[in-house]
Amino acid sequence: MTAVDLRVAQRPNAPMTTYRYDEYDAAFVSERVAEFREQVNRRLSGALTEEEFRPFRLMNGLYLQLHAYMLRVAIPYGTLTARQMRRLADIADRWDKGYGHFTTRQNLQYNWPKLVDTPDILESLADVEMHAIQTSGNCIRNVTADHFAGVAPDEIEDPRPTAEFLRQWSSLHSEFSFLPRKFKIAVTGAAHDRAAILVHDIGLRVVKNDTGEIGYQVVVGGGLGRSPFIGKVVGDFVPREDLLAFLEAILRVYNRFGRRDNKYKARVKILVHEKGIDEIRAAVEAEFAAMDRSAFDHDPEEFARIAAFFAPPPYESLPATSALLRAAKLETPAFANFVDVNVGAHKIPGYAIVTVSLKPIGGVPGDATSEQMRVLAEASERFGFGELRVSHEQNIILPHVKQDDLFALWSMLDAAGLATANAGLVSDIISCPGLDYCSLATARSIPIAQAISKRFSDMSRQRRIGKLGVKISGCINACGHHHVGAIGILGLEKKGQESYQITLGGDPTFSASIGEILGPGVTAEQVPDVVEHLVDYYLAEREEGEAFIDTWRRIGHARFKDVLRREGEDGADI
Amino acid sequence: MALISDGRFIEDAWRRLADEEALPKTGKFIVSLPRLEHAVEVLGPTATFGVIIPNTTEPSALIAALPRLDLISIAFPAFADGRGFSLARLLRRAAFKGELRASGRLVADQYPHAIGCGFDTIEIPDDLAERQDEGQWRAALNAYSMSYQRGYAGRGSILEARRKAVRS
């Protein structure tokens, strides 16, 4: 056995691989905490009514949920340091019930904070350069990015400097803090879209033009919710120096002309849909041309300042493959499975990207206990330069692990119940909190995810099925991204009963598509049966190398509909 | 109504004319948008007057009248309706130099936003002014020392400050 001794595993001093606050950032966030503390006091004294308080608490991430307040903490572009992860654990212990929930937009939610404690929680976050600013409300939300940023082999440029640049620009924007509705921006710099940019209000894709100059393809009007839309290109190549001005032009057009008569029609996707992308593009271009762009003149310098923070860590020079890894895989099949499923290629030879699944069989998708958070922090320090990522699939990523260290890392994760080898498989389910927590929900989501996960608890069967995105939302607001699940599940309420609508063929990547409805809704108990039938049919029909969505695209929706109808006639009760 | 300027409640020197009221010969007064064209036509160059406009007004509709106007009041139909902020920006961009007023149920916490977009004064109903006194408005004005945007009024820009630090 070639096991790595955990006690002597390397523990490099955590280098700086992400943005650090300067004095201005620190002052800003602490002023924000002080302002919120005063807002809470004024709410309690009656100076602010609940209606008046609402947008301000939301802009600080504080929701009123079904049972309690919920605090949503921003993890900008999904990057966390070990120290920050430990602080999240400490907050969970001190002010919540010892756990947190990682969301689909690179945020962490605490489900049980008290209103009066939230200023202290925010202060504790500010102490480690974190905040809950604009994780909610009708403003520009936490800017998200590819969770493999900076380490993916298919990358043109690390999208995080852009995301940080936008985080700052959008923070407490004088003009754009009272928009018709929420506004979400996602950035990717890679050939494969892992940030779901086509279903964001604005999606940015770093591109290179013919002369090798870096710019952005700007997509507008994507979104899920009750009316799902794939975003449309509004700017094919926006040079970097024009990015802020161009975004400001889009936001100004949206702020002025986005619908405010009906909150369900207020997102920019509806404006784009109703006016048409050509009219919107013309309006944005006209606004851009009319702007005083001198205000943005010197931003390249600021961009370079920010980009310098995201320098690669001091990688060692290693062979492309690891003999240690090969031997450990032969020795320990469970580890081999973990490597095959949860470990991805890294742009640096000898390193790997590790996905730590927060989807244990039968567990709550995205939940992590404070103890698990501490293990993850520790693991990142021992094996990954002290850096962690949060993915929109609600998992944690260790972005820089030496292949030689994988076995030691796996052993550590396994001992903490964090080694579920299901990244991207049928039990790696995205789910919203649903009726168990959320005041908007019309049905439960988490128990459905748990039931499906248990149904497919045989891991070898999961591996045989391969990549399959199952996504569950507990209401039409679609926080669980069901529209872009290869199998999407939407919980509704019909005559006092939960009813689940199944869709097939959703895809959140550059080949984005919105799922199509399979048929009439089914009961909660029937959902795992339906999913199982669909999966079995796919397994019977698939050709070599096809994922579920490929087979569905090839043979068509009607065939999948038929099979369920036939199963129903055979007495399968669906 | 209460009027806030520079973090203080002040007396309003302006009077809002009812539409059936004749245009006065003297004093500062505000007409509604439909009466603006007529007012510009009949009033002499020394008259001091302003207009109150809905937040959906196209700035181009005011361009001809801008040099004559001493005040533009933008109505906020609801405090969370942010269209007035963009409209204020556009009027400032069109070189309007007079008093820009936000009129509606704005809350004190929006004061920095209003200043940033170019407003000078905020006009709020009395019941709101009772709950949100001068102290709260002044605190809101001073809540932040700087802002992350550039080209917005009021606070200093963090971007400018960083640039200075690099070059000094």
Side-chain angles (χ1 to χ4, degrees), chain A residues 168-375:
Chain A
Q168 296 190 23
W169 161 76
S170 62
S171 290
L172 218 75
H173 200 290
S174 293
E175 187 178 347
F176 305 133
S177 293
F178 298 90
L179 297 169
R181 198 75 177 86
K182 58 187 169 185
F183 202 92
K184 302 174 181 179
I185 302 177
V187 196
T188 181
H192 294 89
D193 181 11
R194 286 169 291 262
I197 70 156
L198 293 179
V199 290
H200 277 74
D201 295 283
I202 286 181
L204 297 176
R205 181 182 183 182
V206 179
V207 287
K208 244 185 207 160
N209 69 6
D210 298 340
T211 62
E213 187 195 356
I214 293 272
Y216 300 89
Q217 185 186 59
V218 182
V219 172
V220 71
L224 300 174
R226 59 186 70 201
S227 326
F229 287 102
I230 305 294
K232 297 173 183 69
V233 176
V234 63
D236 235 338
F237 184 86
V238 177
R240 176 162 287 152
E241 59 265 32
D242 289 339
L243 180 65
L244 285 192
F246 196 79
L247 295 187
E248 200 159 299
I250 296 174
L251 264 298
R252 188 163 297 133
V253 167
Y254 171 55
N255 193 34
R256 293 184 65 209
F257 302 112
R259 285 180 61 174
R260 290 177 191 258
D261 59 322
N262 178 345
K263 81 175 209 176
Y264 300 116
K265 300 204 179 290
R267 294 282 291 274
V268 72
K269 63 188 176 184
I270 303 292
L271 183 69
V272 171
H273 176 66
E274 289 181 351
K275 303 273 183 199
I277 186 65
D278 294 335
E279 189 178 332
I280 295 300
R281 190 183 298 111
V284 168
E285 284 171 359
E287 174 56 32
F288 180 76
M291 285 169 74
D292 169 16
R293 292 204 296 281
S294 70
F296 302 101
D297 266 359
H298 297 274
D299 285 327
E301 283 176 13
E302 172 63 2
F303 190 89
R305 184 190 74 87
I306 290 171
F309 285 97
F310 296 89
Y315 295 117
E316 289 170 46
S317 200
L318 298 170
T321 55
S322 155
L324 275 176
L325 169 61
R326 207 162 38 238
K329 278 180 79 172
L330 286 172
E331 186 90 14
T332 313
F335 170 63
N337 289 335
F338 178 83
V339 172
D340 292 343
V341 176
N342 287 37
V343 174
H346 195 286
K347 68 177 185 185
I348 303 296
Y351 283 83
I353 304 171
V354 176
T355 297
V356 181
S357 167
L358 296 182
K359 322 287 177 66
I361 295 304
V364 178
D367 271 12
T369 64
S370 56
E371 207 34 60
Q372 289 176 325
M373 292 182 212
R374 289 190 185 97
V375 169

Side-chain angles (χ1 to χ4, degrees), chain A residues 19 22 24-25 27-28 31-32 35 39 42 46-49 51-53 55-56 167-179 244 248 251-252 255-258 260 287 290-292 294-299 301-302 305-306, chain B residues 55-59 79-87 89-90 93 105 107-110 112-117 128 131-132 136 139-140 142-153 155 158-163 165-167:
Chain A
Y19 187 73
D22 67 1
Y24 302 110
D25 300 309
F28 177 84
E31 285 168 347
R32 188 80 172 116
E35 181 194 38
Q39 284 167 342
R42 286 163 61 230
L48 283 171
T49 64
E51 189 202 350
E52 289 162 354
F53 179 51
F56 298 102
R167 181 192 73 82
Q168 296 190 23
W169 161 76
S170 62
S171 290
L172 218 75
H173 200 290
S174 293
E175 187 178 347
F176 305 133
S177 293
F178 298 90
L179 297 169
L244 285 192
E248 200 159 299
L251 264 298
R252 188 163 297 133
N255 193 34
R256 293 184 65 209
F257 302 112
R260 290 177 191 258
E287 174 56 32
M291 285 169 74
D292 169 16
S294 70
F296 302 101
D297 266 359
H298 297 274
D299 285 327
E301 283 176 13
E302 172 63 2
R305 184 190 74 87
I306 290 171
Chain B
N55 65 0
T56 49
T57 308
E58 265 303 321
F79 80 99
D81 183 337
R83 281 177 283 198
F85 294 124
S86 281
L87 183 52
R89 286 277 290 168
L90 293 176
R93 187 162 86 193
R105 299 192 65 87
V107 295
D109 311 75
Q110 292 176 296
H113 296 271
I115 297 289
C117 291
L128 193 59
R131 269 193 290 118
Q132 295 177 17
Q136 293 178 45
N142 299 319
Y144 292 92
S145 39
M146 303 185 92
S147 84
Y148 278 112
Q149 293 82 39
R150 191 184 284 145
Y152 285 78
R155 297 162 284 162
I158 290 172
L159 297 171
E160 300 285 355
R162 281 181 183 147
R163 213 158 82 197
V166 168
R167 291 180 180 179

Side-chain angles (χ1 to χ4, degrees), chain B residues 24-39:
Chain B
K25 297 276 182 287
T26 58
K28 298 174 161 184
F29 57 90
I30 302 170
V31 299
S32 65
L33 185 57
R35 286 183 90 186
L36 180 62
E37 208 181 318
H38 176 69

